[in-house]
Amino acid sequence: MPWFWSDQYDLKLQVAGLSTGHDRYVVRGDPVTEKFAVLYYRGGHLVAGDFVNRPTDFLAVRSALAGGRTIPPEAAADITVPLKKLIADNDPRQAVA
């Protein structure tokens, strides 16, 4: 599972997975605050995430992707719930194209 990080002045940029071919995305946090994440999904499955100043979210998504797990898109935008608590098994009835 590919991942990347870079510190650019006061911004910590991190990427986990590959967002190519996503059919849905969820924004977690507010881009105006420069502390947010964008989670990418294909067929209901988490495939990648881009993170700005959200290292804890990055680690949760990286862990989920490495373990073949997902984070439900319906719950991912709620910043009051840590992403690591939302990690779930992928639904085997849904096929990832």
Side-chain angles (χ1 to χ4, degrees):
M1 189 268 314
W3 61 276
F4 167 84
W5 68 268
S6 178
D7 290 328
Q8 300 292 318
Y9 300 97
D10 61 340
L11 301 177
K12 177 176 281 301
L13 309 174
Q14 296 170 296
V15 177
L18 297 172
S19 61
T20 305
H22 72 276
D23 57 21
R24 180 177 184 182
Y25 68 90
V26 174
V27 177
R28 180 176 169 84
D30 184 357
V32 172
T33 66
E34 296 182 341
K35 186 175 182 181
F36 68 99
V38 181
L39 279 59
Y40 299 94
Y41 294 84
R42 184 180 325 118
H45 297 277
L46 179 67
V47 295
D50 295 333
F51 308 87
V52 176
N53 292 330
R54 293 200 68 93
T56 303
D57 286 350
F58 166 73
L59 292 174
V61 168
R62 190 172 155 199
S63 175
L65 292 173
R69 302 182 80 200
T70 193
I71 295 170
E74 299 78 19
D78 184 354
I79 62 171
T80 66
V81 179
L83 284 182
K84 70 180 182 179
K85 290 189 176 197
L86 298 174
I87 296 173
D89 290 331
N90 275 308
D91 184 346
R93 294 170 291 174
Q94 295 179 346
V96 177

